[in-house]
């Protein structure tokens, strides 16, 4: 186009399928997203790893508004709730007696939403335990060294 907005017959306007400089084709124009369009369906588990018997927060969206939602961990039912007006839900669940390992948290609300959950064993060595271990180690080494020095200075027994 020329500065006065009239088409310039010498320069064609680029079309979506025309090649662009640098290779490829011109990207198609995307329509503006409708703010009333619901977000894509999904399920999130927070935290993604928990100790046995711990609690997690499950957040999902993509259900029909007001639909009942049945939740399970590894195929075992753990709770239920109702989707809100926007099709989303947020619920706190206990892992209960779920075995240690990698599991799928599923929410069934007419469609099935899923997310990963790891149930892990957690162990921790406190400061007092590690200090006692170090002290015991040095006491044993010191006792061995001192005992060895005492025995090495004794005169050898002579046969009679």
């Amino acid at each position: 186009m020329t500065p006065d907005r009239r088409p310039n017959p010498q320069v064609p306007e680029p079309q979506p399928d025309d090649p662009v400089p640098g290779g490829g084709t011109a990207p198609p124009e995307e329509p503006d997203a409708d703010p009333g369009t619901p977000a894509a369906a999904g399920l999130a588990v927070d935290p993604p790893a928990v100790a046995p018997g711990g609690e997690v927060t499950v957040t999902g969206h993509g259900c029909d508004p007001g639909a009942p939602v049945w939740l399970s961990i590894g195929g075992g039912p753990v709770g239920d709730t109702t989707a809100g007006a926007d099709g989303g839900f947020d619920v706190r669940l206990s892992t209960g007696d779920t075995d240690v390992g990698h599991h799928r948290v599923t929410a069934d609300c007419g469609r099935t939403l899923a997310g990963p959950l790891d149930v892990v064993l957690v162990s921790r060595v406190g400061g007092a335990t590690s200090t006692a271990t170090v002290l015991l180690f040095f006491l044993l080494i010191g006792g061995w060294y001192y005992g060895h020095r005492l025995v090495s200075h004794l005169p050898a027994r002579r046969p009679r």
Side-chain angles (χ1 to χ4, degrees):
M1 294 221 170
T2 58
D4 59 357
R5 298 282 185 211
R6 287 181 294 155
N8 185 345
Q10 298 171 349
V11 180
E13 291 197 25
Q15 299 298 317
D17 293 332
D18 289 345
V20 292
T25 58
E29 291 185 24
E30 295 184 20
D32 292 336
D34 179 15
T37 304
L43 186 103
V45 180
D46 185 46
V50 67
E55 290 192 345
V56 295
T57 301
V58 178
T59 306
H61 51 279
C63 298
D64 292 331
V69 181
W70 292 278
L71 297 136
S72 62
I73 297 176
V78 291
D80 60 81
T81 188
T82 304
D86 61 351
F89 61 90
D90 187 33
V91 65
R92 195 137 175 91
L93 300 174
S94 173
T95 59
D97 59 355
T98 304
D99 292 334
V100 172
H102 184 73
H103 299 281
R104 271 175 67 117
V105 176
T106 56
D108 185 11
C109 60
R111 68 171 59 184
T112 301
L113 309 174
L117 173 67
D118 290 314
V119 178
V120 296
L121 285 177
V122 179
S123 66
R124 189 167 133 184
V125 176
T129 305
S130 60
T131 302
T133 304
V134 170
L135 284 175
L136 180 62
F137 173 76
F138 281 109
L139 283 173
L140 289 173
I141 294 296
W144 173 81
Y145 179 75
Y146 183 68
H148 179 68
R149 288 189 49 95
L150 284 177
V151 173
S152 67
H153 293 308
L154 291 178
R157 291 190 180 189
R158 295 187 191 151
R160 291 187 189 193

